[in-house]
Structures are given as structure tokens and as C-alpha cells.
Amino acid sequence: MRSLAMLMFLSVVASAQEKKEAKLTPIEPAKLTRTEPIDYAKDVQPIFAAKCTVCHSGSEQKGKFDMGTFAALMKGGRRGVAVVAGKPMDSLLYTYSSHNKAPIMPPKSEENPLTPNEVAIFKLWIEQGAKGPTAPEIKTRPKVVLSLPPALVKPVRAVAVSPEKIDKAVVAAGRGNQIHLFDGKTGAFKSTFIDPTLKTADGKEAKSAHISLVESLAWSPDGKTLASGSFREVTLWDAEKGTVKTRLTDFADRVVALAWSADGKLLATGGGAPTEDGEIKVFDATGKPAFEVKNGHSDTVFGLNFSPDGKLLATSAADKFVKVFEVPSGKFVKSFEGHTHHVLDVGWTADGKKLVSAGADNVIKVWDYEKGEKARDIQGHQKQVTRLAFIPKTQTFLTASGDASVRLYNADNGGQARTFGENKDFVYAVASNPDGAVVAAGGEEGVVRLYNGTNGQLVKAMLPPDAEPKKEEPKKEEPKKK
């Protein structure tokens, strides 16, 4: 039996709700003079796009209510079923949007209520059975008009070192939307890759490698091709000429991870829009699609790497999972769970027996691949571990972190072998040549630091010529007056 206090409380709540609803001024539906039935795609969806989906689709789903597709709409949200076919006044979609019930939608703060005609369309559509689209829904990406990043925005999001010995090694760095090349031994500036066909929305020459920021870089094993990833595209460059071989498009969002197979025949790309299915696409060396892993992850894919024998592809994502797929079938093999935040990178040890993953939880995890279980945690970084770079033919790997440190670890025992210093801000990227003699790292500072991989000593802080600090000329002494 309910207590008197509880009954009084419920009475007060009900009274408050009644007063709240009494203040509502319903939107009177307009009188529609039409004979044809309401068409979901032509009549209803445009209203959703103009008034609703900004708060109820994609990564933004207030009230856990997704209006991005018909199926999601009919499923409803946290408040219950939104549409009851044939019954507008029992449908939350109608009662909220027509202001017959609170909370009204769109909220008053949006200052974008439905018009009487739009309310009438909702009402008639529901009365007619709330029928869905007659053709399968195709989820289209919103059109994005890219503009060049501000002049001061020059983070180094990606670095890659060509697969040669130190005397011939070349460091490629994505600084802002530019790609700069430096000598791997001395750090001397070599060149800048520019795509002359790139133009901004207003038709001006971009004079850069991409319109948006360079998010990822990877040299082919033969050193002849450099792949660069940006917003919704990947460019394959002729490394010697600095010209574009081909541009790959039709990506969902930023391409933040690139990896070549050891034989150079396949290039894997990772990315995807936040909170949507992660994107894993694999191409042949010329840029032709090879295969795609569908529904591999439920969020952005941040890292991927082929196994040493090329038969498997390991991936890591914002959904906190590390997963492995067969090549070239794309068939799921196994997953590894343990990170408590985004998994930002993943790779294989040289023998293919262990996986190593880097997390936004500040932890590095080493996994026994065959057993499918964790071998050890490696802790020490104070902020997220953003990137891994493996030294081929060894059990060692480099790490970059938001704590401004770059380190070398051993996967067998978890020991830290070396540190690479002088970074003063968040480090996004690290890379080395195959024998580990050349190490490069970069981050928010916009500086690429070149290290001697054998002892960790800084060789040079590298910048393109137009970013080098100007040297002050010595002041000329004025002749003394007699």
C-alpha cells in the first residue's frame, strides 16, 4: 500500500505536469488539398532533414532516438515508440511536434517549430498507415565543402621513413595539409609534394598535398610509392618524381591509418565516421579495390597492420576492440578485448606470434595471438598512446604519446629500451626505417624530430624552409662621431 507521502508526491508531480501541458499552444494542422497519398521519401523525410535529424541521427541521438532511417524511426527511443500507425494522437512524433504534449519538438531553444503544413503532413502520413519508403533507403553522406586549414594550424599528424639504410633513407612528414621530405641521415629538407590539380571551393589553387590535414602516411616496401590519407581520400604518389599516381576517394570520413603488406601487393586503409561502422578497405598496389571488411568495428578504425606473412590483417578501433581478419577473404578470425578506451594502433611482432595495441587509456597491451589472451600490460605513458612503429626482424616497437614522449619497448619482456626526447607537446606520430637506425616523430608543435635510432640522440628538429625561424642579422655598428 502506498504511503500518504508518496501519494502526495505523485499528486504534486501530476499537477505540475498538468499545468505544464496546460500552457502548451498546439499547432493547428493546415487543411491539405491533395488526393495522392503522403510519400515518405518526398514529403516526410525532407521535414526530418530540416527540423529533426540534426539532433536525432548519426553521432547525435538525443533521447536515444535515431531518425536517420525509417527502421530506426519506427523503433523509437528512450521515451517509447514514436509512431503508432493510424493513430496520430498516440504517436509521440506527432504529439510532441504539434505541441499537443511536452516536451515540444524541436525545442523552443531551436526557434524552428514545424509549420501548420508540416504538422498536417505528419498527421495525414500517420493516419494513412505511416508507410515507409517504396525504394530501399540509401544512406548518403552529407556534402562537405572543404576549406584550407588556417595558416597557423600545422600539426604533424603522420610521419613515415622510406625502407632504405640510413644513407638513403627519406623521412616523409604530413605537416598541416602539406607533405615534406627530409634526408633521413642529416635532416636536410629535400622537397614538398604538391598536387597541382587541387583547387579550393572557390577555384583557387590549393598548392598543397591535400585540401584537409594529412592524417596518415605509408611507404611501399620498395620505396617507390608513398601513400597519404586525408579527409575522404588517399593519394598514391610517385616517390621519386613527387607526382600523383592516383587518388582514391569514396571514403566515409578521415583516413587515419594506412599499411602495406610486406610484399607490397596490398594497401589497407582505416577510418570511418565517429560512432558509425569503422571503415576497412584494401586496395592493390595500383589503387584498385581488393576487398572490404564490412561491419568489422562499430566505430572509427584508428590502426591496422598486416601480419608478417600477409595472411592476416589486425585492426584496432574506437570501440575498444582489437580484431583480426583473413586476407583476402575479409573473414573475421578473432578479437581481443581489454582496453578501456579507444584503441589507437595495433601491430605484429616480427615472428607473428604476438600483437601489440596502443590505447587512449594510456596502456600498451601485448597479446598472445595463438592463445587469444593478454600476455602483459606495459604502463609508463601518462597520456594516450597514439601510435606504434615496429622494427622489422626484432621484437621491439616504438611508441608515441600525448605525454610528449617517444619510447622503444621490447614486446617479449615489456622492458623500455630507449627514450627519444626534446618533444614539448602532444606527439601524434612515430616511424623508423627497417633496421631502426632512423627514427622520426612529430606532433602538435608542427616540428619533425629526427633521431639516431641506435642511441636515441636528437639529430635535428626539422622544418620546411618557409617555417624555419629567421636568423637575425648582426647589427652594423654606426661609425663613431669624431
Side-chain angles (χ1 to χ4, degrees):
M1 188 173 181
R2 291 181 177 177
S3 66
L4 180 60
M6 178 59 75
L7 289 172
M8 290 177 65
F9 171 75
L10 292 173
S11 176
V12 170
V13 171
S15 177
Q17 184 67 22
E18 287 174 4
K19 288 180 180 179
K20 188 175 182 180
E21 292 186 2
K23 294 180 181 179
L24 294 176
T25 304
I27 301 172
E28 189 67 26
K31 292 183 179 179
L32 298 179
T33 55
R34 56 184 293 163
T35 55
E36 73 277 8
I38 297 291
D39 183 277
Y40 178 81
K42 293 180 180 179
D43 301 314
V44 179
Q45 266 190 320
I47 302 175
F48 289 165
K51 304 289 178 76
C52 310
T53 53
V54 68
C55 292
H56 296 287
S57 69
S59 59
E60 187 75 15
Q61 294 181 13
K62 292 183 178 179
K64 295 184 178 180
F65 183 33
D66 183 5
M67 301 175 71
T69 65
F70 178 74
L73 168 74
M74 299 306 286
K75 184 179 178 181
R78 188 169 56 201
R79 293 179 182 272
V81 176
V83 178
V84 180
K87 299 180 179 180
M89 294 308 295
D90 290 339
S91 301
L92 298 180
L93 173 71
Y94 177 75
T95 56
Y96 289 170
S97 62
S98 64
H99 297 190
N100 277 282
K101 284 186 179 181
I104 62 174
M105 293 292 164
K108 278 188 176 181
S109 60
E110 298 291 330
E111 298 181 350
N112 189 31
L114 266 65
T115 65
N117 192 69
E118 290 169 337
V119 169
I121 289 173
F122 275 9
K123 187 171 186 289
L124 185 56
W125 173 63
I126 295 172
E127 287 175 342
Q128 292 177 349
K131 295 178 181 179
T134 54
E137 286 185 280
I138 300 175
K139 198 168 185 178
T140 58
R141 294 279 166 197
K143 185 178 180 180
V144 177
V145 179
L146 290 178
S147 57
L148 297 174
L152 294 177
V153 178
K154 300 290 184 183
V156 176
R157 292 276 182 87
V159 294
V161 183
S162 64
E164 288 109 354
K165 296 286 186 179
I166 188 169
D167 290 336
K168 294 184 178 180
V170 177
V171 176
R175 185 175 185 266
N177 62 349
Q178 303 279 357
I179 295 175
H180 304 297
L181 271 59
F182 302 89
D183 186 282
K185 184 177 181 180
T186 66
F189 173 79
K190 292 177 70 68
S191 62
T192 295
F193 282 3
I194 292 176
D195 182 350
T197 67
L198 282 185
K199 296 185 184 298
T200 59
D202 56 3
K204 295 180 181 178
E205 287 186 19
K207 297 180 181 180
S208 59
H210 293 276
I211 297 293
S212 190
L213 299 180
V214 178
E215 302 284 353
S216 50
L217 289 169
W219 289 93
S220 61
D222 61 8
K224 294 181 179 180
T225 302
L226 178 68
S228 61
S230 186
F231 183 76
R232 294 185 178 175
E233 67 179 17
V234 170
T235 300
L236 300 184
W237 302 84
D238 183 306
E240 184 179 357
K241 298 177 182 177
T243 55
V244 175
K245 288 184 173 182
T246 187
R247 185 186 292 118
L248 314 178
T249 56
D250 197 29
F251 294 93
D253 205 270
R254 297 174 303 147
V255 179
V256 295
L258 293 168
W260 290 89
S261 58
D263 59 9
K265 293 182 178 180
L266 295 174
L267 173 67
T269 68
T275 75
E276 297 183 16
D277 284 347
E279 193 169 58
I280 304 166
K281 293 185 176 183
V282 181
F283 302 84
D284 70 14
T286 67
K288 293 180 180 179
F291 68 93
E292 182 176 357
V293 178
K294 295 282 190 180
N295 306 313
H297 288 273
S298 60
D299 210 330
T300 305
V301 173
F302 286 115
L304 39 71
N305 235 306
F306 287 97
S307 59
D309 61 9
K311 295 180 179 180
L312 300 170
L313 179 67
T315 60
S316 63
D319 61 8
K320 306 175 188 177
F321 279 94
V322 171
K323 295 187 178 182
V324 178
F325 303 91
E326 279 185 356
V327 175
S329 69
K331 181 182 177 182
F332 170 76
V333 180
K334 61 177 68 175
S335 64
F336 300 83
E337 184 179 6
H339 281 284
T340 59
H341 209 313
H342 299 352
V343 190
L344 300 177
D345 207 356
V346 65
W348 302 82
T349 54
D351 57 11
K353 293 181 179 180
K354 296 184 183 71
L355 281 168
V356 181
S357 57
D361 52 9
N362 311 348
V363 178
I364 301 161
K365 292 184 181 291
V366 181
W367 309 91
D368 184 309
Y369 176 70
E370 289 300 328
K371 293 180 180 178
E373 60 187 34
K374 184 179 71 176
R376 64 177 49 83
D377 283 339
I378 300 176
Q379 299 183 349
H381 284 295
Q382 302 304 306
K383 290 186 179 179
Q384 61 195 82
V385 187
T386 54
R387 193 59 66 188
L388 302 172
F390 289 78
I391 311 298
K393 300 181 182 179
T394 75
Q395 296 297 94
T396 59
F397 59 92
L398 294 156
T399 62
S401 172
D403 63 12
S405 70
V406 174
R407 306 180 185 187
L408 180 71
Y409 286 101
N410 187 305
D412 280 341
N413 56 29
Q416 181 178 317
R418 196 166 294 124
T419 59
F420 303 81
E422 305 296 329
N423 295 288
K424 298 174 177 61
D425 206 338
F426 205 105
V427 182
Y428 294 116
V430 65
S432 80
N433 69 331
D435 64 10
V438 180
V439 173
E444 192 60 33
E445 288 179 84
V447 177
V448 185
R449 287 186 169 83
L450 176 67
Y451 300 97
N452 181 322
T454 60
N455 58 24
Q457 294 298 307
L458 178 68
V459 175
K460 187 177 182 180
M462 303 183 296
L463 286 166
D466 62 354
E468 289 280 3
K470 292 182 180 179
K471 295 180 180 179
E472 292 186 8
E473 294 183 5
K475 293 182 180 179
K476 294 181 180 179
E477 292 187 11
E478 294 184 6
K480 293 182 181 179
K481 292 182 181 180
K482 292 183 179 180

